Amino acid sequence: MGNKTHPISFRLGIQHTWSAKWFSLGSFKDFLTEDIKIRKYLFNKLKRMGLSRVEIERSMKKTKISLYVSKPGLIIGRGGAGIDSLKNELAKLTKSEKIQLAVTEVKKPFLSAKIMAQEIAGQVERRVPEKRILKGTIEKIMEAGAVGAKVAISGRVGGQEIARTLYLAQGSVPLQNLSADIDFAEDTSNTKYGTLGIKVWINRGKKEIGKKGLKNKLASATKDTEK
């Protein structure tokens, strides 16, 4: 079997930026554990609110958590009550003295791979036929302005005894091209037959990466090869 490179990590520093922005020598293990707990809690709690991305920034005594969602009103609540409740829950997961929460609306949710993967998972759990889900998802993504898209559902699809993978793709999704803005996400759907894995790739078009970004990527690849 071939080794697959993650589309997001492959483009870090060129098309995508890091979702965790902090540095630590002595507390790296503790901060990493906190980040994992925070992300797991948020994606489970806000799964049906269109949570696309979570960014965590840390300073000496403050942790800033940025949420990118398609339905910010459901999170904020009346008079900001939802934000206050969420802050109190997150305070239990971190040792930071102060937590700052920022909510940003995703203008084009159909071009977010994570949101589309969550939507597919919800439809699978509601027993919508898988082929109809794939076709409908691809149509929504392409109508939103994507250059190409690919969707996969793996597992005991339709309750069959032998696991299989259903694929559907349209347009161009060049995973090896650094100038292509590829968004990728995975999710899991829990059914009575077991869990189904969901993967979504979206090509949002080409972006100029510039000589500096490409030079940094090549330098990093050279160092890894020398090691």
Side-chain angles (χ1 to χ4, degrees), residues 125-136:
E125 291 172 0
R126 293 194 300 271
R127 299 185 181 182
V128 179
E130 285 78 7
K131 290 185 178 180
R132 186 192 301 174
I133 294 173
L134 294 178
K135 186 177 180 181

Side-chain angles (χ1 to χ4, degrees), residues 149-179:
K150 183 167 68 171
V151 182
I153 301 177
S154 302
R156 292 183 60 188
V157 181
Q160 295 188 6
E161 292 187 6
I162 299 177
R164 59 184 177 135
T165 301
L166 290 182
Y167 276 103
L168 189 62
Q170 186 174 337
S172 172
V173 187
L175 300 180
Q176 73 282 1
N177 193 338
L178 286 173
S179 63

Side-chain angles (χ1 to χ4, degrees), residues 5-6 56 134 141 152 168 199 207:
T5 302
H6 196 286
I56 301 175
L134 294 178
I141 294 172
L168 189 62
K199 293 183 179 181
K207 283 186 179 179

Side-chain angles (χ1 to χ4, degrees), residues 20-148:
K21 300 175 182 178
W22 50 265
F23 176 79
S24 175
L25 290 175
S27 305
F28 179 83
K29 181 180 70 173
D30 297 332
F31 285 169
L32 180 60
T33 304
E34 283 184 8
D35 280 12
I36 293 172
K37 289 180 180 178
I38 289 171
R39 292 179 195 281
K40 186 176 181 180
Y41 171 78
L42 288 173
F43 276 111
N44 285 335
K45 184 176 180 64
L46 309 178
K47 193 170 186 179
R48 299 295 175 248
M49 299 180 188
L51 179 59
S52 173
R53 180 179 171 86
V54 177
E55 289 186 358
I56 301 175
E57 299 180 44
R58 296 179 184 271
S59 59
M60 290 295 292
K61 297 181 179 180
K62 184 176 75 173
T63 299
K64 180 182 178 182
I65 303 173
S66 301
L67 307 178
Y68 295 84
V69 295
S70 61
K71 302 172 183 176
L74 296 178
I75 297 176
I76 296 171
R78 289 187 178 180
I83 287 287
D84 294 335
S85 175
L86 196 57
K87 277 185 181 180
N88 294 333
E89 292 296 326
L90 291 173
K92 300 175 183 177
L93 302 176
T94 179
K95 297 178 182 178
S96 296
E97 296 181 7
K98 184 179 179 182
I99 292 181
Q100 182 181 349
L101 207 57
V103 180
T104 304
E105 182 181 3
V106 177
K107 299 295 184 181
K108 296 182 178 180
F110 292 147
L111 293 182
S112 169
K114 188 63 180 178
I115 292 176
M116 298 312 297
Q118 291 171 351
E119 185 175 318
I120 292 171
Q123 290 179 338
V124 170
E125 291 172 0
R126 293 194 300 271
R127 299 185 181 182
V128 179
E130 285 78 7
K131 290 185 178 180
R132 186 192 301 174
I133 294 173
L134 294 178
K135 186 177 180 181
T137 302
I138 290 289
E139 288 177 354
K140 289 178 183 177
I141 294 172
M142 297 304 291
E143 287 174 2
V147 177

